[in-house]
Amino acid sequence: MGYFMKLNIIIPCYNEEEVLEESYRRFVKVMSGVSYDYSFIFINDGSRDRTLEILRNLAKQDEKVTVISFSRNFGHQNAVSAGLHNVDGDAAVIIDADLQDPPEEIPKMVEKWQTTGCNIVYAVRESRKGESFFKLMTARIYYRTLNALSEYAFPVDTGDFRLVDRAVVDAFARFPEKHKYLRGLFSWMGFRQEPHMYKREERYAGSTKYSLSKMVHLAAVGIFGFSKKPLKLAISLGLMCIIFAIAIIVWMVCLNIFRPEKIVPGWSSTIFIVLLMGGIQLFTIGILGEYIGNIFDETKGRPEYIIQEKINLK
Ligand code: UDP
Ligand code: MG
């Protein structure tokens, strides 16, 4: 616990014209009741609607509104990273723009951080409103699969909604990797972490900005970034195939010696083996491809995002 002065609230926005003004009102309403200083870091992640225009107007009226605007859509994880790279307070909260994570939880998370003296307060979804059965199911399966595959234990039912303090922000600045799976990185970091239970609300307006392909991408970044088990899977699958193939050959030889009349000069078994082997080879090559692709992206050393404009920020 310490004496603390300023909180940054990081809000990534992609095509959020329908919610932004209402979100800002709700955020200000909550934050006007606290005794510490604060500022908002809105990240415009290459929106094609009026998001930037709305943010400009808000920033004109309120100097606590700071804006980082990307040159194109770089994705939610990069938007949050940019926010974290621009934290000037003693702690920061990462929160969605669509009011699914209620702003009213922020002071409670700050209080938990202050009273427990921890470094991270991660918000755990006690319930989720207004989300499709498909999203709930895939999320459930995904988090548990990741935990089974990974060498680290990640808290389940946890998104990126969390409070991180200065020590965590400083540690984060030292992560050079491009494919960031933030919730994984934060639990990997260690420090003292406390859960905070909350009820996830429905999106205030508009529709999800996480398309299926973005969800699949995030899931792949999580699995291939935090587990080497898929690589090892290739070895065990390959080994199983070899044993299977040897067993079949032995069986054929035995048949040939003891029951030659039983042999059907067919090609179905051949096709079966060719298909099996081909499938397994493609599967394992695909796994290799994922990792090599990651290595390729990291070695190019390109920046994870490009900032076109900053408002109210140094
Ligand atoms: N978002 C973003 N870039 C993207 C997609 C989403 O900055 O490419 C932001 C979005 O504006 C929102 C947050 O990430 O503030 C979470 O997105 P969303 O609510 O659409 O996802 P869901 O809650 O449906 O998983
Ligand atoms: Mg949402």
Side-chain angles (χ1 to χ4, degrees):
M1 183 160 40
Y3 151 71
F4 117 94
M5 309 192 34
K6 183 170 179 183
L7 180 74
N8 295 115
I9 299 164
I10 298 172
I11 311 162
C13 309
Y14 177 52
N15 294 343
E16 296 287 9
E17 62 179 8
E18 286 152 302
V19 305
L20 260 183
E21 275 149 342
E22 175 62 20
S23 305
Y24 172 74
R25 261 193 295 278
R26 277 270 294 278
F27 280 119
V28 168
K29 199 167 150 209
V30 170
M31 297 312 289
S32 58
V34 303
S35 57
Y36 37 86
D37 191 16
Y38 66 91
S39 82
F40 302 108
I41 306 178
F42 286 97
I43 300 95
N44 169 39
D45 185 13
S47 302
R48 281 181 297 259
D49 64 357
R50 289 178 45 247
T51 297
L52 182 59
E53 195 186 319
I54 296 170
L55 290 175
R56 273 214 183 89
N57 285 335
L58 294 176
K60 228 178 267 167
Q61 300 155 18
D62 182 354
E63 58 172 19
K64 288 195 188 312
V65 172
T66 67
V67 181
I68 297 171
S69 186
F70 284 178
S71 60
R72 65 166 170 87
N73 180 240
F74 281 95
H76 171 245
Q77 301 285 295
N78 289 325
V80 173
S81 297
L84 286 164
H85 292 150
N86 283 275
V87 165
D88 65 350
D90 307 284
V93 166
I94 302 163
I95 189 165
D96 286 356
D98 60 359
L99 297 174
Q100 277 199 285
D101 307 327
E104 291 73 24
E105 303 297 324
I106 296 176
K108 296 185 208 162
M109 288 159 80
V110 168
E111 200 187 310
K112 183 153 231 170
W113 169 56
Q114 289 277 281
T115 52
T116 60
C118 64
N119 303 94
I120 296 179
V121 180
Y122 59 94
V124 181
R125 298 154 181 177
E126 212 167 49
S127 63
R128 295 175 84 160
K129 251 195 234 162
E131 303 220 67
S132 67
F133 176 72
F134 176 75
K135 180 134 187 170
L136 295 180
M137 271 300 286
T138 48
R140 237 190 116 75
I141 296 172
Y142 173 69
Y143 287 123
R144 281 148 187 90
T145 311
L146 179 62
N147 264 329
L149 284 178
S150 174
E151 288 91 57
Y152 316 101
F154 300 115
V156 295
D157 305 322
T158 303
D160 288 320
F161 184 23
R162 67 188 66 219
L163 178 147
V164 294
D165 75 356
R166 190 77 236 174
V168 176
V169 169
D170 289 343
F172 180 77
R174 295 179 40 225
F175 280 70
E177 61 198 271
K178 307 286 174 308
H179 291 285
K180 287 195 171 86
Y181 181 65
L182 295 172
R183 55 200 81 167
L185 287 184
F186 286 128
S187 35
W188 181 90
M189 271 185 198
F191 291 111
R192 249 195 82 189
Q193 315 207 4
E194 293 287 338
H196 169 73
M197 306 301 280
Y198 81 112
K199 295 188 175 61
R200 189 156 161 95
E201 295 295 329
E202 258 172 272
R203 185 175 245 284
Y204 172 72
S207 57
T208 179
K209 304 300 178 291
Y210 251 97
S211 58
L212 183 62
S213 70
K214 280 184 175 164
M215 259 167 67
V216 171
H217 176 75
L218 182 67
V221 171
I223 294 217
F224 295 118
F226 279 96
S227 173
K228 290 196 269 300
K229 283 190 193 152
L231 274 175
K232 293 174 189 146
L233 184 74
I235 297 176
S236 34
L237 271 177
L239 208 63
M240 261 163 52
C241 288
I242 292 168
I243 293 171
F244 188 58
I246 291 175
I248 287 195
I249 289 167
V250 170
W251 183 59
M252 284 302 181
V253 170
C254 292
L255 224 54
N256 236 323
I257 296 170
F258 302 110
R259 291 280 185 81
E261 75 281 2
K262 282 249 173 185
I263 297 246
V264 184
W267 44 270
S268 49
S269 56
T270 320
I271 293 282
F272 169 69
I273 301 246
V274 167
L275 281 180
L276 185 75
M277 295 305 289
I280 284 164
Q281 280 169 14
L282 282 179
F283 182 76
T284 49
I285 289 171
I287 290 176
L288 288 179
E290 285 288 338
Y291 286 96
I292 292 173
N294 281 352
I295 297 169
F296 178 60
D297 282 345
E298 298 293 340
T299 52
K300 277 183 297 192
R302 287 188 191 152
E304 357 163 21
Y305 53 79
I306 296 170
I307 296 174
Q308 183 164 16
E309 187 184 347
K310 283 186 174 186
I311 307 174
N312 286 352
L313 262 180
K314 271 138 251 137

